[in-house]
Every structure is written in C-alpha cells, then in structure tokens.
Amino acid sequence: MIIMKNSNKRKILRFPSPIFLGIGQMAATIMILYISKLNKIIHFPDFDKKIPVKLFPLPLLYVGNHISGLSSTSKLSLPMFTVLRKFTIPLTLLLETIILGKQYSLNIIVSVFTIVLGAFIAAGSDLAFNLEGYIFVFLNDIFTAANGVYTKQKMDPKELGKYGVLFYNACFMIIPTLVISVSTGDLRQATEFSEWKNVLFIIQFLLSCFLGFLLMYSTVLCSYYNSALTTAVVGAIKNVSIAYIGMLVGGDYIFSVLNFVGLNICMAGGLRYSCLTLSGQLSPKQPADEENTPLDLKS
C-alpha cells in the first residue's frame, strides 16, 4: 500500500523530488518518535556523546546505500536492476554469519538461492551488461545488507534499542540528505513544484511522509523480532507481490512466459523460507520488548 501510494503521487502529480520526499519521511520519524518519548509512550536513551559511537557505522552505510542506489538505477534496466538487487539476500546471510555469528540450515540456504535464481529467470530476456551499473548495484547490495545486519546488532535494548536506532539515525542523516538534495538540484525541483497550493497534494505528501515512517518502523520491527535475513526475504516477496498486483491493476506489467515462471520461482523460494522459519528451523529467540515497558516496572 505504501509503495503504491508513493508511486501514485509521483505518477499522477509528477512530483519530481524523491530525495526531498525522503527528507520529509525522516522529519516525520523524528517528530513522531520524539513526541511519543515526551508522552512516555516509548523509551530510548537521551542524547549524549556516546550516541554517535553506538550508532556508527549506520549513518555511513545509509549514505552509501542512498548514493549507490541512485547511481545504479540510472545505469541499468529495471529487470537487470531487480535481478542484481536480489544478491542483497545471500550477502545478508553471509554478513549475519560473519558479524552476528548466526548459523543457517542447508534448506534455508537453498531457499535463498532459489529466490536469486527466480530473479535471473524473470529477467532472462533483458540481461544487458553495463560494467559501471553492475559495480554500483553490487555496492548498493553490500551497503543494504550491511545496514540490515548492523541495524539488528544496534537494536539491543541495553544499547540504543529499536526506537533509538530509528530516531538517532534519522537525526544524523537528515542534514547530509538535505545537502545531497541541494547539490543534485532535487530541492530546487521540489520548491518549484507547481502543486504546493493544491490541498489534495499536500495531504498526499504528508500521508506519504507518515507511511514512510511506518515502512521504516515495520522494517526495523521485523529485524528486531526476526533477523536481517528474514527482512531481506520479506522485501523480495513484497516485490514479487507488487508484480502480481501489477498483472491485475495498473497496466504496467508486460507479460512473458519467462518472466512469469521466474516470478513464481522467486515466490516459491520466499514461501519456502517462510515455512522453514515458522516451523522453527531458525528458532529465533525473541528479545524482550523493554522499550515499551514502563520505567516504574523496570526498576
């Protein structure tokens, strides 16, 4: 729903500034979490000089992810970009093994590579080679995987917690992202956009900012209670689901047998992973949600 809403706003109203929209979503995240903290709905640490050290390297990974993502999309076709982005999943598996010391069964590993295989088949008719594009998208995969794994690591309730990671990451990144928006001309396009006097557009823009916060929060929540790998697989299933929806509504999907077979293999791998996870092969230990526990109960 969130993706379709953002897509609808950008297609129908032709909003030209995705980076500015991202800044709006960061601002919404900061305001919502800060107000919730003031009203004692949630808890995360107050700012001190140790916070940047605890958060590192998430801000750098965010910048790298953002820049490499923008660079790769402009140099590759959408099918090829989609295929190469699926390598985020095995990279996440590898980094979780190295950084977090997690161990996965052979069945899980096979289901992960089934998703990648399905993506290759789905885009089999458009595997054009572009070295520069390949480099940027693989960098994007590495940054995305590392960001997911380190986010999982930093969400320890004894450290920043999930709300602290969301809040301080948005605080540290909103200024650099604004600089990127200014330097790329994105901010100028946003300020010159003709629909700012349109009440409907303003409502949709604010709704997109709020939905962007919900997307970031749900992603962090998924990693908090599961794993970074599960979050990456859910993202792949989401993309395939969007393609299925596009077959029925929107008119964007162009049918081909190869693409349809590949999408189904992707979905099969994702569902197999989900079944294995739910049946307890990963046996994740869910952390206690200390951040939502009233302070008087903690003492």
Side-chain angles (χ1 to χ4, degrees):
M1 183 183 73
I2 295 169
I3 292 172
M4 292 179 69
K5 183 67 180 175
N6 284 341
S7 176
N8 178 67
K9 180 168 70 62
R10 291 196 63 202
K11 284 183 179 179
I12 296 176
L13 298 177
R14 295 182 177 86
F15 187 66
S17 309
I19 301 178
F20 185 80
L21 178 59
I23 293 171
Q25 292 171 349
M26 290 181 200
T29 299
I30 293 169
M31 287 189 291
I32 291 170
L33 292 180
Y34 187 69
I35 292 172
S36 298
K37 178 179 169 65
L38 288 179
N39 287 279
K40 299 182 179 180
I41 299 172
I42 62 172
H43 171 74
F44 56 85
D46 293 326
F47 181 80
D48 59 49
K49 62 182 180 180
K50 294 181 180 179
I51 292 293
V53 177
K54 290 180 178 180
L55 194 63
F56 185 84
L58 285 180
L60 294 181
L61 293 174
Y62 180 89
V63 172
N65 190 26
H66 194 77
I67 295 174
S68 60
L70 289 174
S71 301
S72 58
T73 52
S74 63
K75 298 181 184 300
L76 292 173
S77 65
L78 181 59
M80 192 65 244
F81 176 77
T82 303
V83 169
L84 296 178
R85 284 293 289 145
K86 291 294 187 292
F87 280 97
T88 298
I89 302 173
L91 283 171
T92 301
L93 188 152
L94 177 63
L95 289 177
E96 278 199 320
T97 302
I98 296 172
I99 297 171
L100 303 181
K102 294 180 70 72
Q103 298 295 325
Y104 291 101
S105 69
L106 179 61
N107 285 333
I108 291 291
I109 295 172
V110 170
S111 66
V112 164
F113 281 95
T114 299
I115 297 172
V116 178
L117 174 64
F120 267 107
I121 294 174
S125 60
D126 192 9
L127 299 182
F129 182 80
N130 182 315
L131 180 59
E132 187 178 2
Y134 276 37
I135 292 172
F136 276 117
V137 78
F138 277 121
L139 285 174
N140 193 216
D141 290 341
I142 293 169
F143 283 124
T144 302
N147 185 69
V149 173
Y150 276 108
T151 296
K152 175 69 175 178
Q153 185 186 60
K154 302 295 182 182
M155 284 191 294
D156 186 339
K158 296 178 182 178
E159 295 292 329
L160 293 175
K162 57 182 180 292
Y163 299 116
V165 167
L166 269 175
F167 180 79
Y168 288 115
N169 201 39
C171 286
F172 281 114
M173 288 318 306
I174 193 167
I175 299 301
T177 307
L178 181 61
V179 171
I180 294 173
S181 181
V182 172
S183 63
T184 59
D186 180 89
L187 182 63
R188 179 182 55 79
Q189 289 180 316
T191 55
E192 294 176 355
F193 188 58
S194 61
E195 296 292 333
W196 284 111
K197 294 181 180 180
N198 184 336
V199 176
L200 176 61
F201 167 75
I202 294 175
I203 293 172
Q204 288 189 318
F205 182 84
L206 294 175
L207 183 58
S208 291
C209 291
F210 175 70
L211 291 176
F213 159 73
L214 286 184
L215 179 61
M216 287 186 282
Y217 176 65
S218 61
T219 300
V220 166
L221 204 62
C222 182
S223 295
Y224 183 77
Y225 286 111
N226 299 284
S227 67
L229 179 61
T230 296
T231 303
V233 171
V234 168
I237 296 175
K238 172 207 68 179
N239 291 337
V240 176
S241 300
I242 292 171
Y244 281 139
I245 294 172
M247 296 177 191
L248 303 175
V249 296
D252 289 339
Y253 182 77
I254 301 175
F255 178 83
S256 74
V257 174
L258 202 61
N259 182 267
F260 184 71
V261 170
L263 287 176
N264 283 292
I265 292 175
C266 270
M267 181 59 79
L271 293 177
R272 175 62 175 163
Y273 176 92
S274 301
C275 290
L276 291 171
T277 304
L278 292 174
S279 67
Q281 288 205 19
L282 289 178
S283 299
K285 182 179 178 182
Q286 291 189 352
D289 200 350
E290 297 180 13
E291 297 159 281
N292 288 333
T293 304
L295 295 176
D296 56 343
L297 295 179
K298 291 183 181 181
S299 56

